[in-house]
């Protein structure tokens, strides 16, 4: 029996557990699954595993959810999904239970994709895309059991409870925590494997947390289970100074603070879902990001405080942005205009991201990270209402480039090298000063890669 720091006796001490999440590429093939399994074996503190759908499957499922009316095209998409799963199933030692589970889920995909042709809906989309994670967890658990690990698969929807906003559901933290208490006994002698990305609302209907949501699921489970650490195993050995696909000289960051990493996730560094760090911050859980295919390369530790806090840490890029500019001459020296604008936006549940104002106009970008992956747009009714107040101009095909760092608004000349690097770029909006950790620029989408590369060269190379 152990004794807590306060000297009280813990009647039933919980084991120190670590939650590990493996992304789509890390479970996309049998070979990738084997590498991920090896990571778990090398980290015996891993008691709870959250996994994504096999790479490519979610994209196919979203296409089906939109309703592919052409029978041949629909069948091709169904075949592509089945091929990914069957290739892994074929490499596993035969197991009737797993084969049946995968077959039943594929039948469900077929049936839901037919329903989507008749009447697509957000609820149906979530039920359909969930089949990706529901299938991959069967396959991965089977592999772990075959390797002799005490793995057991559980259905995330029984534990991760959310509201009913299909495609971008909000977790009910208290209820999730309450549900997860039931897992404590099993954690003593099992490695539990569950689906990322999916949950269920109070009526038991399947919901999803938005694209890339498995990171967030893992963090929510880590919080609910009182985990001592969270490992996000992906296809890159850590968080880089920018997306290594954008800049060849991007380099991994050994340690980064919660604040900096949260800004990176929020502003589009795909390596982490934007909400991932919220539960980790709440419960002070350190987060590790590493490559499942190359664990020996190390990775990034995200902690409450990092040892170094450089002025410039990293650059993030978020594409598919929409900017709305509202112009009203009556705004000049008046009050209440912004309140009216935000009242309308709130009524339509439109979340605003960046904002700048001038004497007679205000520009804002719209935030959207749902499972359908649509470009954020103003609903027609909201546009109409706003048009009664002012002139509304909507501009798409934009990108937000965010430079992340520390003490930015207190460092003299902090932005000088930024503007030097971008002397020929057209900046559509700049946000600076609200946070010590970022300066954000809105640029045309087709110039975004070059803007990131020039900034990276100037500030990090
Ligand atoms: P997973 O399927 O494991 O969740 P993702 O594709 O969602 O993986 O995220 C990993 C990808 O994130 C990398 O392959 C990389 O291209 C991209 N990425 C974007 N920004 C960064 C960054 N700053 N550091 C590392 N990776 C990044
Ligand atoms: N499978 C989901 C997606 O592709 C969730 C995830 O991978 O995190 O978005
Ligand atoms: Mg991801």
């Amino acid at each position: 029996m152990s004794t807590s720091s306060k000297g009280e006796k813990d009647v039933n001490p919980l084991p120190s557990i670590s939650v590990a999440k493996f992304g789509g590429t890390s479970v996309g093939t049998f070979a990738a699954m084997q590498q991920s399994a090896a990571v778990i074996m090398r980290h015996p503190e891993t008691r709870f595993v959250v996994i994504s759908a096999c790479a490519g499957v979610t994209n196919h499922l979203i296409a089906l959810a939109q309703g592919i009316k052409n029978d041949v095209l629909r069948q091709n998409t169904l075949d592509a999904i089945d091929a990914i799963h069957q290739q892994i199933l074929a490499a596993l030692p035969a197991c009737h239970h797993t084969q049946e589970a995968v077959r039943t889920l594929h039948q469900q995909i077929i049936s839901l994709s037919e329903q989507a042709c008749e009447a697509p809906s957000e609820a149906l989309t979530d039920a359909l895309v969930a089949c990706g994670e529901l299938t991959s967890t069967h396959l991965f658990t089977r592999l772990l059991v075959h390797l002799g690990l005490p793995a057991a698969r559980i259905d995330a929807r029984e534990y991760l409870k959310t509201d009913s906003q299909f495609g971008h559901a909000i977790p009910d933290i208290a209820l999730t925590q309450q549900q997860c208490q039931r897992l404590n006994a099993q954690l003593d002698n099992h490695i539990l494997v569950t689906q990322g990305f999916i949950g269920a609302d109070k009526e038991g209907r399947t919901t999803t947390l938005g694209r890339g949501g498995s990171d967030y699921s893992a963090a929510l489970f880590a919080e609910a289970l009182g985990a001592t650490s969270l490992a996000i195993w992906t296809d890159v050995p850590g968080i880089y100074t920018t997306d290594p696909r954008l800049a060849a000289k991007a380099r991994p960051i050994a340690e980064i603070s919660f604040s900096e990493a949260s800004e990176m996730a929020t502003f589009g560094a795909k390596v982490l879902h934007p909400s991932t760090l919220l539960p980790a911050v709440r419960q002070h859980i350190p987060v590790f990001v590493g490559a499942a295919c190359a664990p020996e390369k190390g990775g990034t530790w995200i902690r409450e405080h990092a040892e170094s806090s450089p002025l410039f840490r990293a650059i993030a890029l978020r594409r598919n942005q929409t900017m709305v500019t509202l112009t009203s001459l009556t705004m000049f020296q008046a009050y209440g205009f912004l309140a009216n604008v935000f009242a309308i936006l709130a009524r339509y549940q439109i979340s605003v991201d960046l904002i700048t104002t001038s004497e007679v106009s205000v520009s804002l970008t719209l935030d959207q990270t749902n499972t359908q992956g649509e470009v954020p747009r103003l609903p027609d009714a909201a546009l109409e209402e706003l048009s009664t107040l002012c002139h509304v101009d909507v501009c798409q095909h934009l990108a937000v480039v965010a430079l992340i760092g520390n003490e930015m608004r207190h460092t003299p000349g902090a932005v000088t090298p930024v503007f030097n690097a971008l002397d020929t770029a057209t900046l559509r909006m700049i946000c600076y000063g609200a946070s010590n950790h970022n300066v954000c620029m809105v640029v045309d989408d087709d110039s975004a890669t070059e803007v990131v590369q020039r900034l990276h060269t100037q500030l990090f190379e």
Side-chain angles (χ1 to χ4, degrees):
M1 193 173 283
S2 74
T3 305
S4 77
S5 55
K6 288 178 196 153
E8 299 146 358
K9 280 186 178 172
D10 289 335
V11 180
N12 193 2
L14 286 176
S16 156
I17 64 159
S18 178
V19 171
K21 176 256 169 178
F22 294 88
T25 348
S26 310
V27 292
T29 60
F30 183 68
M33 280 195 177
Q34 281 180 309
Q35 286 174 323
S36 298
V39 168
I40 295 174
M41 290 163 101
R42 227 173 291 137
H43 292 86
E45 71 282 9
T46 305
R47 311 298 305 167
F48 196 90
V49 177
V50 175
I51 70 166
S52 296
C54 304
V57 168
T58 306
N59 286 351
H60 287 314
L61 290 169
I62 287 173
L64 288 173
Q66 283 159 355
I68 306 181
K69 288 213 157 55
N70 179 310
D71 287 346
V72 177
L73 286 182
R74 191 169 71 252
Q75 191 57 49
N76 287 348
T77 308
L78 288 165
D79 290 347
I81 294 170
D82 201 31
I84 295 171
H85 294 148
Q86 290 302 329
Q87 170 261 335
I88 298 171
L89 199 53
L92 281 168
C95 165
H96 178 69
H97 169 76
T98 311
Q99 283 161 351
E100 265 312 288
V102 172
R103 200 186 60 80
T104 307
L105 278 162
H106 196 68
Q107 288 305 318
Q108 210 166 313
I109 294 173
I110 296 171
S111 148
L112 290 169
S113 69
E114 280 162 6
Q115 289 175 39
C117 291
E118 301 301 318
S121 74
E122 287 173 346
L124 188 103
T125 299
D126 280 5
L128 188 45
V129 294
C131 294
E133 271 73 7
L134 289 168
T135 308
S136 64
T137 38
H138 274 294
L139 296 166
F140 193 60
T141 310
R142 175 72 195 118
L143 174 62
L144 296 185
V145 169
H146 165 66
L147 294 171
L149 293 171
R153 175 185 180 276
I154 59 169
D155 191 322
R157 295 170 297 183
E158 288 176 31
Y159 305 95
L160 207 159
K161 296 295 175 184
T162 72
D163 69 5
S164 306
Q165 294 186 60
F166 299 105
H168 54 115
I170 310 285
D172 182 329
I173 312 290
L175 195 52
T176 299
Q177 202 137 10
Q178 192 185 320
Q179 295 295 104
C180 284
Q181 277 179 8
R182 294 191 279 135
L183 295 172
N184 286 338
Q186 286 185 70
L187 280 169
D188 276 344
N189 43 19
H190 284 99
I191 297 177
L192 298 181
V193 179
T194 199
Q195 307 77 33
F197 181 50
I198 72 170
D201 70 2
K202 290 215 175 76
E203 282 76 47
R205 293 173 300 181
T206 304
T207 55
T208 61
L209 304 178
R211 286 311 302 265
S214 297
D215 303 328
Y216 189 24
S217 300
L220 289 163
F221 278 115
E223 175 180 42
L225 297 169
T228 44
S229 66
L230 165 65
I232 304 282
W233 294 100
T234 178
D235 59 358
V236 278
I239 299 182
Y240 279 55
T241 44
T242 193
D243 187 341
R245 288 177 210 210
L246 290 179
K249 290 192 177 163
R251 52 173 199 271
I253 301 166
E255 194 195 34
I256 186 170
S257 69
F258 277 148
S259 318
E260 294 168 290
S262 297
E263 297 274 355
M264 288 190 72
T266 305
F267 287 108
K270 192 177 166 241
V271 65
L272 290 179
H273 178 278
S275 305
T276 311
L277 294 171
L278 298 175
V281 171
R282 282 194 295 262
Q283 292 303 320
H284 317 279
I285 304 169
V287 180
F288 176 79
V289 180
C293 57
E296 72 287 352
K297 289 194 176 157
T300 304
W301 273 105
I302 312 172
R303 301 182 202 276
E304 209 145 9
H305 301 288
E307 247 173 47
S308 71
S309 46
L311 178 60
F312 301 125
R313 177 71 91 179
I315 304 164
L317 170 63
R318 193 163 65 193
R319 294 190 181 275
N320 277 337
Q321 299 299 289
T322 299
M323 182 166 79
V324 179
T325 302
L326 308 160
T327 309
S328 162
L329 286 179
T330 56
M331 185 177 164
F332 182 60
Q333 291 188 340
Y335 49 84
F337 174 73
L338 281 182
N340 291 334
V341 165
F342 279 99
I344 295 172
L345 295 175
R347 213 169 318 121
Y348 289 92
Q349 298 187 326
I350 297 165
S351 159
V352 170
D353 192 24
L354 301 178
I355 178 163
T356 57
T357 63
S358 78
E359 240 167 1
V360 293
S361 63
V362 47
S363 290
L364 40 94
T365 61
L366 308 179
D367 193 16
Q368 195 161 344
T369 45
N370 64 14
T371 292
Q372 289 81 20
E374 290 155 354
V375 174
R377 54 179 288 275
L378 270 186
D380 291 342
L383 190 60
E384 240 169 68
E385 273 196 53
L386 287 169
S387 300
T388 61
L389 288 182
C390 55
H391 174 76
V392 185
D393 186 41
V394 178
C395 184
Q396 291 188 327
H397 310 296
L398 298 171
V400 172
V401 176
L403 176 60
I404 319 294
N406 295 282
E407 289 300 322
M408 285 180 146
R409 62 178 174 207
H410 293 131
T411 306
V415 288
T416 311
V418 179
F419 290 128
N420 284 345
L422 302 179
D423 53 353
T424 56
T426 307
L427 302 182
R428 307 289 296 265
M429 187 200 271
I430 301 172
C431 290
Y432 172 63
S435 158
N436 235 340
H437 294 290
N438 74 52
V439 40
C440 293
M441 291 147 278
V442 177
V443 299
D444 292 326
D445 200 63
D446 50 17
S447 69
T449 303
E450 195 193 331
V451 166
V452 171
Q453 287 168 346
R454 292 182 66 155
L455 274 176
H456 197 270
T457 307
Q458 172 89 17
L459 305 175
F460 297 98
E461 290 173 23

